[in-house]
Amino acid sequence: RYDPTIMSETLEPSEITVVREFLEALQASDTGRALELLSPAVVYQNVPLPPARGIRAVEKQLLGLQRLFTGFEVVHHNIAANGSTVLTERTDVLCLGPVRGAFWVCGTFEVHDGKITLWRDRFDFVDFFLSFARGAVLALVKAFGGRGTPST
């Protein structure tokens, strides 16, 4: 009889574990750990932008994003593996000071020998920009405490 309460992380395919560890490292702003999980020949692409090819190009993008945004969070909705391919459905949250932009992302990862060789994220740019507009409004409401004057 199947009992989901006895499932453990040890039953999770190693490719999924690598992807989870990678996203957790990004969430913790641990770029060094994230880079350790990438193949030297990794390809990273936010579709439809051009891909970054190679670990140094990906490192440059990650460090640039870290300088621009003050925080990053991941909310996993679904994650599945088929051999070396891992698919994620998640909400990514980027913080820019008090403004939080939360938007839907579908990610495709290829994992070989414990290293990510492909990382491709797809998201709707309109949703991305609207998430920051919503976040700005919420930050203003919070800053003014809903009373029309700045909170102290």
Side-chain angles (χ1 to χ4, degrees):
R1 185 172 77 108
Y2 173 73
D3 182 355
T5 61
I6 62 170
M7 293 290 289
S8 71
E9 291 229 4
T10 59
L11 298 178
E12 184 174 83
S14 62
E15 290 81 4
I16 290 176
T17 301
V18 169
V19 170
R20 282 188 190 276
E21 288 178 6
F22 175 72
L23 292 170
E24 287 169 6
L26 292 179
Q27 186 168 273
S29 297
D30 189 347
T31 305
R33 175 69 183 132
L35 292 172
E36 289 173 2
L37 294 166
L38 299 178
S39 162
V42 66
V43 174
Y44 163 51
Q45 183 176 19
N46 275 318
V47 175
L49 301 174
R53 298 182 184 279
I55 199 163
R56 294 300 153 229
V58 174
E59 177 182 33
K60 183 177 178 182
Q61 284 197 8
L62 292 177
L63 292 174
L65 290 170
Q66 245 182 3
R67 281 190 295 275
L68 178 62
F69 295 102
T70 56
F72 172 68
E73 300 169 23
V74 177
V75 179
H76 293 278
H77 302 294
N78 292 295
I79 189 165
N82 183 7
S84 63
T85 303
V86 178
L87 301 177
T88 64
E89 288 182 334
R90 59 188 204 265
T91 298
D92 284 2
V93 181
L94 291 172
C95 303
L96 191 57
V99 177
R100 295 168 49 88
F103 54 99
W104 174 87
V105 177
C106 180
T108 302
F109 295 83
E110 290 284 334
V111 180
H112 298 278
D113 299 321
K115 301 285 186 180
I116 296 169
T117 59
L118 172 73
W119 169 25
R120 183 179 301 125
D121 280 343
R122 293 173 180 81
F123 58 92
D124 183 327
F125 274 99
V126 173
D127 183 41
F128 174 80
F129 289 114
L130 287 176
S131 75
F132 278 96
R134 286 187 299 269
V137 168
L138 289 172
L140 284 172
V141 167
K142 185 176 181 180
F144 286 93
R147 298 184 306 273
T149 58
S151 58
T152 55

